Amino acid sequence: ARPTPEQLAWQDLELGLFIHFDMRTFTGQEKPRTPADPNTYNPVDLDTDQWLEVARSMGAKYAVFVAKHCTGFLSWQSNAYPYGEKQTSWRGGKGDVVLDFAASCRRAGIKPGLYASVSSTAWWGVDNPGVIKWGDKKQSDYNKACLAMLTELWSNYGELTEIWFDGGVLPPEQGGPEIYPLLKKLQPRAIVFQGPAPGGIRWIGNEEGVAAYPCWSTVKTLNDPGAGDPDGSIWNPGECDVPLPGHGWFWDAKSTAPAPGEEKRQQTLLRLMDMYYRSVGHNCNLLLNATPDTTGLIPQAIVP
């Protein structure tokens, strides 16, 4: 097994910033049966340049923004379905955080990546592994919306270094959308996390920011989580994703309170260094999550 040039370049990046921000930031709900009013979304001070300055200051070489999470809220000017920034009063309905994020990445010299889950979308009544489980919408319509959504993300914001599929992708033979041909056409050089294509990267099997030792870049089965296999015939390196110590994937007022003192800050630093040694030091990339609050800024209490 050998890495593609794109896999090798991705592995050399080593450290990335993960940014979770959508309707859940304002409601605290991940998979609501009743979607929140779009106008609930109102990040009055949002500044993606600040996000990328945080990435730069921690030494990240790439960043992955969660463009669509499980609520189904679309963080760009989308025509895929009517639930996103286009339907809000924020910035007069003209906001496009994906556009801002991509531009900030390029100004900062940091490689851009996008997360867009298709396995869970509450607005459609869809939950894992990507099928409608409540409501009256149709699976065929959801599949078309997925392709429309991904076409927008992969066509309108330039070349992406990483594409994230949380929980993988339901294959067409099981009722899922035909994503692989679209990916090959629009973003053939992107590294794909848990995606429907070879030449990607795999989940390490936990959300603690650490990998086993030894941890191999080869596997016998594509996207098989864990430590890999030295006899594997597929090059499929691991990525360790983790929130900052003491925090969640999305902003929460309790978890983002300032550290009480120098001793607590030192404990956090030691935990971060341990993650680095046991992720990058164990042959994986580390994707560390620092989430903006309801103002749209990453709180100073958690900025490195």
Side-chain angles (χ1 to χ4, degrees):
R2 295 288 187 273
T4 66
E6 291 79 16
Q7 285 174 315
L8 195 59
W10 176 86
Q11 288 185 265
D12 281 341
L13 296 176
E14 295 191 351
L15 182 62
L17 179 69
F18 215 179
I19 304 168
H20 280 66
F21 183 79
D22 87 332
M23 184 62 78
R24 181 177 167 183
T25 304
F26 300 87
T27 66
Q29 295 179 302
E30 181 178 11
K31 302 175 183 179
R33 296 299 176 104
T34 302
D37 181 342
N39 289 316
T40 306
Y41 180 92
N42 187 32
V44 292
D45 296 321
L46 189 142
D47 182 358
T48 55
D49 282 342
Q50 189 252 3
W51 300 357
L52 272 297
E53 175 57 27
V54 171
R56 189 203 59 77
S57 71
M58 68 181 250
K61 299 297 190 295
Y62 67 105
V64 178
F65 171 57
V66 176
K68 188 212 75 74
H69 202 257
C70 298
T71 63
F73 186 83
L74 305 168
S75 299
W76 68 97
Q77 286 292 303
S78 178
N79 294 316
Y81 57 90
Y83 190 60
E85 290 181 8
K86 202 170 186 177
Q87 285 71 44
T88 72
S89 57
W90 180 68
R91 294 185 178 176
K94 304 295 184 182
D96 192 324
V97 178
V98 174
L99 181 66
D100 294 346
F101 167 77
S104 293
C105 281
R106 294 182 172 97
R107 282 193 292 270
I110 291 173
K111 304 289 188 181
L114 292 176
Y115 168 127
S117 167
V118 297
S119 62
S120 183
T121 304
W123 189 87
W124 283 88
V126 169
D127 205 353
N128 293 325
V131 297
I132 289 180
K133 295 190 175 180
W134 70 86
D136 57 1
K137 296 182 175 69
K138 296 180 180 180
Q139 186 73 35
S140 59
D141 291 336
Y142 176 66
N143 289 349
K144 291 176 185 176
C146 286
L147 294 176
M149 172 185 76
L150 296 176
T151 297
E152 292 172 347
L153 288 176
W154 297 346
S155 300
N156 298 337
Y157 302 102
E159 187 172 79
L160 301 172
T161 290
E162 183 167 339
I163 289 171
W164 243 76
F165 287 109
D166 197 354
V169 176
L170 187 70
E173 57 269 24
Q174 296 179 28
E178 283 273 9
I179 288 175
Y180 179 55
L182 189 68
L183 177 66
K184 191 174 180 181
K185 176 183 176 183
L186 299 178
Q187 290 288 343
R189 292 169 52 84
I191 292 298
V192 181
F193 180 90
Q194 288 190 320
I201 57 178
R202 73 183 194 274
W203 184 45
I204 209 63
N206 65 67
E207 295 181 343
E208 299 171 6
V210 299
Y213 186 84
C215 185
W216 305 92
S217 292
T218 48
V219 293
K220 290 185 175 179
T221 304
L222 185 66
N223 294 328
D224 188 22
D229 192 312
D231 298 320
S233 61
I234 303 169
W235 195 275
N236 191 211
E239 183 174 53
C240 299
D241 59 314
V242 61
L244 278 168
H247 301 269
W249 291 112
F250 283 88
W251 177 81
D252 179 271
K254 295 177 182 177
S255 66
T256 53
E262 185 62 25
E263 183 179 354
K264 180 64 177 291
R265 284 190 289 269
Q266 287 297 324
Q267 290 174 357
T268 299
L269 177 60
L270 289 172
R271 287 186 62 189
L272 288 170
M273 290 305 301
D274 181 64
M275 286 179 190
Y276 180 82
Y277 291 136
R278 296 169 62 196
S279 56
V280 176
H282 287 188
N283 189 40
C284 295
N285 280 23
L286 176 61
L287 186 59
L288 183 65
N289 186 74
T291 180
D293 62 20
T294 54
T295 70
L297 299 174
I298 297 176
Q300 287 300 312
I302 62 175
V303 171

